[in-house]
Amino acid sequence: MSKAPSATTLRREAQFEALMQSAEKRICEDGVGALKARDLAADIGVALGGLYNIVADMDDLMLRLAQRTMVRLDAALEAGAASAAAEHPVEVLEGIALAYYDFARQNLQLWRALFEMRLKNPALPEWNIQAQLGLFRHMNAPMTALMPAASEAERILVARTLFSAVHGIVFVGLEERLIAVPQEALAQQIRWLVRAACKDLK
Amino acid sequence: MSKAPSATTLRREAQFEALMQSAEKRICEDGVGALKARDLAADIGVALGGLYNIVADMDDLMLRLAQRTMVRLDAALEAGAASAAAEHPVEVLEGIALAYYDFARQNLQLWRALFEMRLKNPALPEWNIQAQLGLFRHMNAPMTALMPAASEAERILVARTLFSAVHGIVFVGLEERLIAVPQEALAQQIRWLVRAACKDLK
DNA sequence: AAAAAAATTGAACGACGTTCATTTTTATAT
DNA sequence: ATATAAAAATGAACGTCGTTCAATTTTTTT
């Protein structure tokens, strides 16, 4: 049987959740560069030094934020995959790609934070790497349907290529420092690329 | 007739060049995050405050570094485009894509600095935006050959999509924090994607 | 209720980009 | 050549940042 969590533990969890939410709010408003230890400590009503009882350091904080974002992204991709019937694998891949685009648009700053966070220690923890690789999971079934004769390694490689290509289109397309591409046109381009790539697979 | 440059002006130019080279060396060795005003000042034999006679601030420094990198990238893309005959536009596009991959691989940290630099003032100066958009120039001729009936706006849109997709493949592929894709396999994937996309254009 | 352990605090530290009064060097005028 | 004005170079100082730690307060255990 498991012990009832102590009052201290409960407060810790509440503090952690408050910290995450405050950090997410600040990222959404001003980008990942606006995350400041002092601001966050003030937000959640804790002394500056107290932050380091909740997270190890700012790297840890950002990696945990990334994890939360990836969990939500994973759910979004799952929903995107489910928007088409499994008998039409190309449409499933299209659904995933468009879901990715949609998630990036609607969570722009949090999504950008996934790539923009600059860690003191560049090595990612294993749980973070696994979460990233796990995002490809949704492409497994449609890729297998499209490439029944290929090896698993081959399928994974192509899936990653396709995902990367879509990511690139989204990334450049949402780069508002350049001339922005209209949303509908961008979605159209994504659909085109996925379809063109899949057409060539057969 | 133009005045002969004064001794001061000549020294300025020499200092600027030394600063750029020292900065590039440091980026190549330790990434863009390792650029420190004090280090650079020491490198080129100038007092800390003197840096601000050579560049306006660190933003300015990084933007000028980006400019230099883009000039070299532009030349690399041009050479890549020239590696195939103009009568085979798909091969030209392939050459450009592979040249981009090659440049990124051989100038990994400088290339990454293009995307990783975090500016205090996020607005890019016009000359930097133009340099970025100018990179698409090399795709003009092959895209026109591939889409003779399309409008110019359409061609630009598709060119940008294709370039972005290749960028995404390169970007994710070189992300050494994840499982690395073998170089030859990555080049193969790029070739496949470009060919598949072009096949669909006709 | 006392003792031990854990959590919280905020002042202090070192590193950073940037500024500025002062000094030194260069350019101009006599 | 020399005096004067202008420009450039200096490095100490400032404000901000993440992080640490001795001291204090709170919680848990005995």
Side-chain angles (χ1 to χ4, degrees):
Chain A
M1 60 188 335
S2 59
K3 285 241 190 71
S6 73
T8 301
T9 304
L10 284 176
R11 189 159 34 101
R12 251 306 139 65
E13 284 165 7
Q15 283 176 328
F16 179 81
E17 184 60 27
L19 176 57
M20 290 294 119
Q21 289 185 14
S22 146
E24 283 168 349
K25 184 150 174 286
R26 287 196 176 268
I27 289 178
C28 289
E29 285 165 1
D30 301 308
V32 73
L35 276 193
K36 308 289 168 184
R38 283 168 178 80
D39 291 342
L40 295 170
D43 282 351
I44 65 174
V46 155
L48 175 55
L51 270 192
Y52 298 85
N53 298 331
I54 309 177
V55 289
D57 52 21
M58 290 299 263
D59 276 17
D60 186 32
L61 168 60
M62 290 195 285
L63 285 168
R64 287 178 193 279
L65 285 170
Q67 200 72 6
R68 286 164 69 98
T69 302
M70 282 195 285
V71 167
R72 295 201 301 121
L73 173 55
D74 193 81
L77 297 185
E78 177 134 42
S83 70
E87 306 87 60
H88 302 114
V90 179
E91 290 176 28
V92 173
L93 290 174
E94 248 185 77
I96 294 171
L98 291 174
Y100 185 72
Y101 173 43
D102 230 58
F103 183 89
R105 238 178 350 114
Q106 300 192 335
N107 303 270
L108 186 56
Q109 298 283 34
L110 287 173
W111 172 75
R112 278 193 183 142
L114 294 175
F115 317 104
E116 290 184 4
M117 61 181 180
R118 278 232 288 268
L119 305 176
K120 207 163 9 92
N121 173 8
L124 299 179
E126 190 57 27
W127 48 268
N128 188 78
I129 293 178
Q130 286 312 315
Q132 283 192 52
L133 297 178
L135 294 176
F136 295 97
R137 168 175 54 91
H138 308 97
M139 305 178 73
N140 269 351
M143 289 306 295
T144 306
L146 280 171
M147 309 172 69
S151 70
E152 190 183 344
E154 177 105 352
R155 268 186 285 114
I156 289 177
L157 180 64
V158 174
R160 198 163 145 170
T161 297
L162 204 49
F163 195 93
S164 303
V166 171
H167 167 75
I169 297 172
V170 173
F171 185 83
V172 176
L174 295 181
E175 190 80 26
E176 58 222 357
R177 308 199 276 199
L178 302 179
I179 299 158
V181 175
Q183 290 176 15
E184 191 38 56
L186 199 46
Q188 199 57 49
Q189 292 295 296
I190 293 169
R191 268 190 286 264
W192 165 68
L193 189 96
V194 172
R195 279 205 270 253
C198 291
K199 225 183 272 185
D200 195 71
L201 281 179
K202 316 190 202 183
Chain B
M1 58 191 328
S2 59
K3 285 240 190 70
S6 71
T8 302
T9 304
L10 284 176
R11 189 160 34 100
R12 251 307 139 62
E13 283 165 9
Q15 283 176 327
F16 179 81
E17 185 59 27
L19 177 57
M20 290 295 119
Q21 288 184 15
S22 147
E24 282 167 351
K25 183 149 176 286
R26 287 195 176 267
I27 290 178
C28 290
E29 284 164 2
D30 302 309
V32 73
L35 277 193
K36 309 291 169 183
R38 283 168 177 80
D39 292 342
L40 294 170
D43 283 351
I44 66 174
V46 154
L48 176 54
L51 269 193
Y52 298 86
N53 298 331
I54 309 176
V55 289
D57 53 21
M58 290 300 264
D59 275 18
D60 187 31
L61 168 60
M62 290 195 286
L63 285 168
R64 287 177 194 280
L65 285 170
Q67 199 73 6
R68 285 164 70 98
T69 302
M70 283 195 285
V71 166
R72 295 201 299 121
L73 173 55
D74 193 80
L77 297 185
E78 178 134 41
S83 70
E87 306 86 59
H88 301 116
V90 177
E91 289 175 30
V92 173
L93 290 174
E94 248 185 76
I96 294 171
L98 291 174
Y100 185 72
Y101 172 45
D102 230 58
F103 183 88
R105 240 181 345 117
Q106 300 193 335
N107 303 270
L108 187 55
Q109 298 283 34
L110 287 173
W111 173 75
R112 278 191 182 145
L114 295 176
F115 317 105
E116 290 182 4
M117 62 182 180
R118 277 233 288 269
L119 305 175
K120 208 164 5 95
N121 173 6
L124 299 179
E126 189 56 26
W127 47 267
N128 188 78
I129 294 178
Q130 287 311 315
Q132 285 193 51
L133 297 178
L135 294 176
F136 295 98
R137 169 174 54 91
H138 308 99
M139 305 178 72
N140 269 350
M143 289 307 294
T144 305
L146 280 171
M147 309 172 69
S151 70
E152 190 184 343
E154 178 104 352
R155 267 186 285 115
I156 290 176
L157 180 63
V158 174
R160 197 163 145 170
T161 297
L162 203 49
F163 194 93
S164 303
V166 171
H167 167 74
I169 297 172
V170 173
F171 186 83
V172 175
L174 294 181
E175 190 81 25
E176 58 223 359
R177 309 199 276 198
L178 301 179
I179 299 159
V181 175
Q183 290 176 16
E184 192 37 57
L186 199 48
Q188 199 57 50
Q189 291 295 296
I190 292 169
R191 268 190 286 264
W192 164 69
L193 189 95
V194 171
R195 277 206 270 253
C198 290
K199 223 183 276 186
D200 195 70
L201 281 179
K202 315 189 199 182

